[in-house]
Amino acid sequence: MNEKIIDIIIPCFNEETNIKPVYEETRLVETGIGNCRFNYIFVNDGSSDNTLEIIKELAQGNEQVKYISFSRNFGKEAAMYAGICNSRGDYAVIMDADLQHPPALIKDMLETIERTGCDCCAARRVNRKGEDKIRSLCAGLFYKLMNRFSDINIADGVLDFRLMNRNMVRAIRQLPENRRFSKGIFAWVGFDTRWVEFENVRRMKGESKWSVWSLIKYAMDGFIDFAVSPLKFAGWFGGVVAVGSAVYLIVEIIKTLVLGRDTPGYASTICLILFFGGMTIAILGLIGEYIGRMYMETKGRPVYIEKESNIHED
Ligand code: UDP
Ligand code: MG
């Protein structure tokens, strides 16, 4: 049988302490599998520490280590996309640099794909041990809403950490949108996906780069990019309110004609005006959010800008 090539895509943002450990651990997995060769694609996402130097050190005289370095921090989504765009192997793996994604799982994933003939095998956390309670509660709520209101299905606990065959990689490459939400994209492109489960592990060194605010923004991105139902809801809501107020108006006219004019009712009127005024502005804001995204997407800017790389040298 031919030797299989597996591209290991590792997005790195200020991971100087983790690069070598993750590389060494993954090497061990590689030797344990046999009949396949790993290519490492480190994507340096505008780190301000020594991440790039350490990657270059690894790449020196080692054909298997490739890197792409961005001109600034473009975010993990862009880094994953850069890896996908440069993957030429039979399979591609996306893996975090902080060893929160145990490289040993790659072996299980490969076995699953070879045994079942599926296209993709992704890791799924069975728990969120060691994670903030509120954070995991919010995440759970997000996935519930997402699955309810969009036309894709994402299981809670599914990670970006996965092994995909070349077909799926090619499909993802065809989605060059700027605001990326990979979990949605993986689900959207389809393909037969299986899961391997594992227990949550703490990040090896350094800190998570996600603040509460950036997580909220990320959830918003995911929601707006994959669900148009908020807009549908706004439309329905507007319709119901319009019909309701028309009925109310008719009732009021009849009441005035029959009972004569009465002055009370000022407070309720103001309340209604404020309520619907507020709702209108909120819904306009929602629509504005979609239009803003359309504007950004129509610019057709690249997802990332490469500053240097050892991939195109040869
Ligand atoms: N990452 C990146 N760009 C960023 C933020 C993060 O490439 O702007 C990388 C980071 O180096 C790590 C992975 O994405 O390899 C996951 O990041 P992190 O551990 O901070 O996220 P968490 O595990 O808390 O979800
Ligand atoms: Mg992490």
Side-chain angles (χ1 to χ4, degrees):
M1 228 165 64
N2 283 347
E3 192 186 51
K4 290 264 189 298
I5 300 209
I6 305 183
D7 292 322
I8 312 283
I9 299 165
I10 309 178
C12 312
F13 177 50
N14 294 344
E15 301 281 6
E16 57 181 5
T17 46
N18 294 329
I19 303 286
K20 279 196 174 139
V22 80
Y23 172 74
E24 270 147 29
E25 204 173 318
T26 317
R27 285 289 309 204
L28 286 180
V29 176
E30 180 184 358
T31 41
I33 295 181
N35 201 30
C36 74
R37 207 171 80 113
F38 285 9
N39 272 332
Y40 298 82
I41 307 180
F42 287 96
V43 185
N44 173 35
D45 183 15
S47 302
S48 52
D49 63 1
N50 283 324
T51 300
L52 182 61
E53 282 67 38
I54 292 171
I55 297 171
K56 279 184 178 166
E57 237 172 75
L58 282 182
Q60 199 117 54
N62 185 345
E63 278 219 323
Q64 278 169 275
V65 178
K66 305 282 179 203
Y67 64 84
I68 304 157
S69 185
F70 289 175
S71 59
R72 65 167 166 88
N73 178 249
F74 280 86
K76 184 188 172 187
E77 286 290 339
M80 291 194 284
Y81 185 63
I84 292 275
C85 288
N86 286 286
S87 163
R88 299 283 173 268
D90 300 289
Y91 296 104
V93 170
I94 299 179
M95 189 168 82
D96 280 5
D98 56 7
L99 283 169
Q100 266 186 314
H101 296 167
L105 280 184
I106 297 172
K107 191 166 181 230
D108 301 341
M109 291 176 177
L110 192 65
E111 270 166 18
T112 308
I113 286 197
E114 286 182 340
R115 185 173 35 118
T116 62
C118 62
D119 303 288
C120 170
C121 185
R124 186 170 165 178
R125 283 190 292 211
V126 286
N127 58 20
R128 285 175 173 264
K129 214 163 56 192
E131 221 186 85
D132 201 69
K133 279 261 160 32
I134 297 174
R135 200 170 144 169
S136 45
L137 210 75
C138 291
L141 184 71
F142 167 71
Y143 288 113
K144 279 216 178 72
L145 284 174
M146 186 82 189
N147 293 337
R148 173 75 187 73
F149 288 108
S150 72
D151 41 10
I152 51 167
N153 239 310
I154 306 171
D156 185 15
V158 166
L159 303 177
D160 297 326
F161 182 28
R162 57 186 62 219
L163 179 81
M164 299 170 278
N165 66 13
R166 205 202 302 238
N167 281 341
M168 186 159 168
V169 170
R170 212 180 282 146
I172 296 171
R173 216 179 284 153
Q174 283 170 21
L175 274 71
E177 59 222 58
N178 249 287
R179 293 253 199 166
R180 304 182 70 78
F181 178 65
S182 281
K183 287 191 183 108
I185 290 175
F186 295 142
W188 187 89
V189 292
F191 293 97
D192 187 4
T193 301
R194 306 285 162 102
W195 318 105
V196 289
E197 301 198 326
F198 79 108
E199 296 239 328
N200 203 19
V201 264
R202 275 171 202 274
R203 150 183 266 287
M204 174 144 149
K205 281 188 189 118
E207 280 186 353
S208 170
K209 275 93 195 171
W210 295 90
S211 64
V212 176
W213 180 235
S214 64
L215 278 172
I216 293 175
K217 279 209 311 222
Y218 187 62
M220 275 283 286
D221 278 356
F223 207 75
I224 289 187
D225 291 348
F226 280 92
V228 260
S229 36
L231 279 183
K232 279 197 201 126
F233 169 76
W236 276 105
F237 181 80
V240 169
V241 167
V243 172
S245 45
V247 171
Y248 181 65
L249 191 70
I250 293 168
V251 171
E252 279 302 305
I253 289 173
I254 294 173
K255 252 169 74 183
T256 315
L257 287 178
V258 176
L259 301 173
R261 182 176 301 162
D262 64 352
T263 22
Y266 180 73
S268 60
T269 314
I270 289 290
C271 278
L272 282 175
I273 290 175
L274 287 180
F275 175 67
F276 290 116
M279 282 311 287
T280 313
I281 294 171
I283 289 169
L284 273 179
L286 180 66
I287 294 172
E289 188 72 24
Y290 280 88
I291 293 177
R293 273 156 209 240
M294 278 158 65
Y295 170 63
M296 290 311 283
E297 289 295 341
T298 51
K299 290 189 186 196
R301 288 189 181 164
V303 178
Y304 61 90
I305 302 287
E306 196 177 296
K307 191 173 172 189
E308 57 175 303
S309 165
N310 66 349
I311 292 182
H312 311 294
E313 277 169 359
D314 32 67

